[in-house]
Amino acid sequence: MSGSSNHILIEQLDALLTIRFNRVEKKNALTAAMYDSIRTALVSADQDDSIRVVLFCAQPEVFTAGNDLQDFLAQDTSEEPAAMKLLRQLAVQKKPLVAAASGIAVGIGVTLLLHCDLVYLGEDTRMRLPFVNLAVVPEAASSLLLPNLMGRQRASELLMLGDFFDSKTAKELGIANGIVSNNEVFDLALQKAQALASKPQEALVLTKQLITGTHRQDVLDRIDEEGRLFGERLVSEEARQVMAAFFAGK
């Protein structure tokens, strides 16, 4: 499997599938078309016996700045957002997910990592969960996964204050496995992904299932709950004012 579509580059390297964000001029902000491309690649990977591991990556200077807000707000509200479909797929993905993130990682650039089995960060990575600052709520079951991972108070600090935090903090909080220079992070993640791909495949998939299975339904339920509230918030007066100020550059 290989190809490229809507700023998402997809390439199969032996038993490894790489999904690379490639909209650098917009800091890899994700559009509906990009979400669809990622989800399609993930579904295909789970169905393709030649693929054993999926690796998310981008460029040394930027992972993703999160949702493209203009694109997101322009979507047809009568249909389920493409982002929601991707989030559900991440929660049920059978094959291991590895991530190499460096530079800027905001919003989905952080919450996606919570669904990865191995995460490696560049040492200069700056991360942020700005949902409350935009008058919306968390996504990707991060309101469940983060407290389970690091405790309520530390999760509240990330989700409620919405300040930037660095890769060292992310590793200390359990979000990442390792930190190297921004230029080395892809090579490290690739090495780890290839190591996973060399393992007995059935045992690997079953082990991931055992690790994630206990809370999988809770994660799916929380994704739905967050999505419902997120949609309600988008049409609220509070969010309208915040978004107007955001686009005005204030």
Side-chain angles (χ1 to χ4, degrees):
M1 180 194 308
S2 64
S4 61
S5 176
N6 298 318
H7 302 104
I8 298 295
L9 304 182
I10 300 165
E11 182 180 7
Q12 184 171 350
L13 304 171
D14 297 322
L16 176 67
L17 187 75
T18 63
I19 299 177
R20 185 183 299 274
F21 307 144
N22 192 49
R23 195 186 180 208
V24 182
E25 70 281 4
K26 293 292 186 178
K27 298 182 180 179
N28 292 337
L30 298 176
T31 63
M34 293 167 74
Y35 281 120
D36 280 335
S37 293
I38 297 168
R39 181 177 62 86
T40 297
L42 289 176
V43 171
S44 296
D46 261 358
Q47 297 171 346
D48 188 339
D49 291 340
S50 72
I51 297 172
R52 295 189 167 200
V53 179
V54 176
L55 171 60
F56 289 105
C57 56
Q59 298 77 37
E61 67 275 12
V62 59
F63 187 54
T64 171
N67 269 321
D68 182 314
L69 287 177
Q70 287 185 320
D71 178 85
F72 190 82
L73 294 172
Q75 292 179 39
D76 184 352
T77 57
S78 67
E79 298 182 359
E80 182 178 53
M84 283 290 292
K85 296 177 183 178
L86 171 61
L87 297 180
R88 288 201 193 91
Q89 180 60 36
L90 288 170
V92 300
Q93 192 74 18
K94 295 178 181 178
K95 295 178 183 177
L97 301 173
V98 180
S102 58
I104 300 168
V106 175
I108 186 67
V110 179
T111 60
L112 180 150
L113 303 180
L114 304 178
H115 295 273
C116 291
D117 303 288
L118 298 176
V119 174
Y120 300 95
L121 298 177
E123 60 188 356
D124 297 324
T125 306
R126 300 179 70 234
M127 312 176 78
R128 192 178 193 185
L129 295 162
F131 304 110
V132 169
N133 299 346
L134 294 171
V136 293
V137 297
E139 65 183 10
S142 56
S143 63
L144 172 68
L145 295 171
L146 285 174
N148 286 347
L149 182 64
M150 62 189 64
R152 173 181 170 179
Q153 283 72 24
R154 288 184 292 184
S156 296
E157 184 174 24
L158 298 186
L159 290 171
M160 292 183 178
L161 289 176
D163 294 333
F164 278 103
F165 59 101
D166 59 19
S167 52
K168 180 181 178 182
T169 300
K171 186 173 185 294
E172 290 173 349
L173 294 174
I175 295 174
N177 295 89
I179 303 171
V180 291
S181 72
N182 285 22
N183 288 326
E184 296 174 323
V185 67
F186 175 77
D187 289 338
L188 175 60
L190 178 63
Q191 175 188 339
K192 298 297 184 180
Q194 290 172 332
L196 286 181
S198 72
K199 304 296 182 183
Q201 177 67 1
E202 292 179 8
L204 187 66
V205 169
L206 287 170
T207 298
K208 171 168 178 165
Q209 180 178 319
L210 289 168
I211 292 171
T212 61
T214 301
H215 302 293
R216 186 178 298 112
Q217 190 56 54
D218 290 337
V219 168
L220 289 168
D221 290 344
R222 185 59 61 89
I223 287 173
D224 287 343
E225 183 179 7
E226 289 173 345
R228 176 181 60 80
L229 291 171
F230 198 106
E232 292 176 0
R233 294 301 307 150
L234 281 177
V235 297
S236 69
E237 178 61 21
E238 184 177 55
R240 188 193 67 77
Q241 293 178 2
V242 169
M243 296 291 180
F246 175 85
F247 288 121
K250 297 180 180 179

